[in-house]
Amino acid sequence: MANIIRQRNGLTEPAQTDFDLRIEQTIRPKQLEDYIGQSQLKETIRISLDAAKQRSEPLDHILLYGPPGLGKTTMALVLAAEMEADIHITSAPALERPRDIVGLLMALKPGSIIFIDEIHRLNKVTEEILYPAMEDFALDRTLGKGHMTKTLRVPLPKFTLIGATTKAGSISSPLRDRFGIVYRLNFYTIEELVQIVMRSATILNIQITGEGAEAIARRSRGTPRIANRLLRRVRDYVQVRRGPEEGIEVSSAEEALDLFEIDRMGLDPTDRLLLSKIIESFGGGPVGIETLAAAIGEDIRTIEDIYEPFLMQAGMLQRTPRGRMVTPKAYQHIFPGVTPPQSSALQQSLPLEPLS
Ligand code: ADP
């Protein structure tokens, strides 16, 4: 049985209560077969898992990147279960002092997994301690001071580091190069999200029709965590407004989602504010991220990590060298039936910058 050692600092799951976390743990897939979607990643992982098991060795170090809620932590837990290994869950902000990472490494058992969330935020000293640990399974300890300094190499048990980040572009190349598998998680399709909603509904004992699940899936921004949260909020709505015995149907799901102000494209009020601000105050863009963040009163990191990736994927926002721009699709979504002004930046097509 895999042992889970969780180090929490509140940053990893910012918007969640302990109750939410408990529910999340209940519905989290435990085995690779239950992990829905991301088929390419699963195939790569399956091969690595089988090879590692055959050789009785730990898995290669793995870097998973992509927006929050797409299943990075879940994949790490699935891997620990599949390898029957201990997993230490932590995040970069909890590894501020050298002794944090040293303590973690010294506590490892052969085959243990370390999961570091937000790995792009590791400081230089911690990163440098990790290099020999990842490469040679060794810890270089410095003894003495001044010209008497000596480095002592302490062997570590073989382990696997799984790093997760929303920003692969912010990881230093020496760290990135030490991962054997680097994989970007994709947003989920509607069909995959329907499966996730149906599976969670079964576990949580919620009655729901396939169409009801699809209504939720369509407004979940391609993200399993959001799909699961909406499922529970819609269940609450149906219970209160329709009665405790009622299941979720398409009409009640849509009624609830309209009430929560999540529109048919899955955009929430902040997405719509962001787009309409670019259109109304900045002529459709381009506008710099700092200016935009100040204009809508949102944190730059939240815009970059949560709002932008989905709006770009939905074809509503472009990231250009000169700033953020909305697309004609966004214009039509925010102002249905109105043609974008000819002079506006909306008519131009600028080169796309890759997502970091
Ligand atoms: P991340 O670490 O990328 O922020 P998590 O792994 O915490 O995301 O996933 C959030 C929730 O979404 C999990 O509790 C899990 O229930 C659900 N989930 C994520 N990926 C999947 C998946 N592939 N199949 C089913 N449920 C998933």
Side-chain angles (χ1 to χ4, degrees), residues 13 24 27-29 34-36 67-74 188 196 199 224-225 228:
E13 316 266 14
E24 200 162 78
I27 53 186
R28 235 186 241 286
D34 299 332
Y35 193 97
I36 294 158
L70 290 196
K72 299 182 287 298
T73 314
T74 307
Y188 290 67
I196 291 173
R199 178 179 171 276
R225 179 180 291 140
N228 285 333

Side-chain angles (χ1 to χ4, degrees), residues 12-13 16 20-21 23-29 31-32 34-38 42 64-77 115 117 164-166 185 188 192 195-197 199-200 223-228:
T12 325
E13 316 266 14
Q16 295 192 325
D20 280 334
L21 268 176
I23 299 240
E24 200 162 78
Q25 276 161 23
T26 319
I27 53 186
R28 235 186 241 286
Q31 294 166 340
L32 203 55
D34 299 332
Y35 193 97
I36 294 158
Q38 311 292 350
K42 280 197 302 195
L64 300 173
Y65 67 102
L70 290 196
K72 299 182 287 298
T73 314
T74 307
M75 181 51 86
L77 289 163
F115 175 76
D117 204 5
T165 178
T166 47
L185 273 83
Y188 290 67
E192 290 162 352
Q195 284 182 54
I196 291 173
V197 170
R199 178 179 171 276
S200 303
T223 308
R225 179 180 291 140
I226 297 181
N228 285 333

